[in-house]
Amino acid sequence: MVIKRETREQARQLRTQGISIITIAKELGVAKSSVSQWVRDIELTSTQIEVLKQNQHRSPAQLKGSKTNYTKALAQRKL
């Protein structure tokens, strides 16, 4: 599907700019899960990560849990 391929490329371009998955999904009118799959291999800079964290309104415990889950998922993908 050409439209899906174009949408996926738009999502990837936005993510490389440090835009959040939720924002990308809303802007492109697709599911967060789709965006997440399309951009999962894109590594953000430490500055981009900090900006995203600042824009989140989450407790320190939630952030710690997210980091733990991310680390576990990353380790599984490397297997």
Side-chain angles (χ1 to χ4, degrees):
M1 237 176 133
V2 175
I3 295 173
K4 189 171 186 176
R5 187 177 313 139
E6 290 173 359
T7 304
R8 182 176 29 228
E9 287 306 313
Q10 286 179 314
R12 292 181 61 78
Q13 288 174 358
L14 291 169
R15 187 61 171 174
T16 59
Q17 296 171 20
I19 307 297
S20 73
I21 290 173
I22 293 171
T23 303
I24 294 169
K26 287 179 183 177
E27 186 172 319
L28 299 179
V30 296
K32 291 183 296 185
S33 59
S34 294
V35 174
S36 177
Q37 288 177 351
W38 296 339
V39 303
R40 72 174 60 184
D41 63 326
I42 296 174
E43 292 188 35
L44 300 176
T45 65
S46 57
T47 304
Q48 290 172 326
I49 292 169
E50 285 304 314
V51 169
L52 288 172
K53 284 182 181 179
Q54 288 174 3
N55 291 336
Q56 291 178 340
H57 302 290
R58 296 168 51 173
S59 72
Q62 287 174 316
L63 292 174
K64 183 179 178 184
S66 294
K67 185 174 182 176
T68 301
N69 290 338
Y70 172 78
T71 304
K72 286 180 183 178
L74 188 60
Q76 277 190 321
R77 283 195 297 256
K78 289 183 179 180
L79 292 178

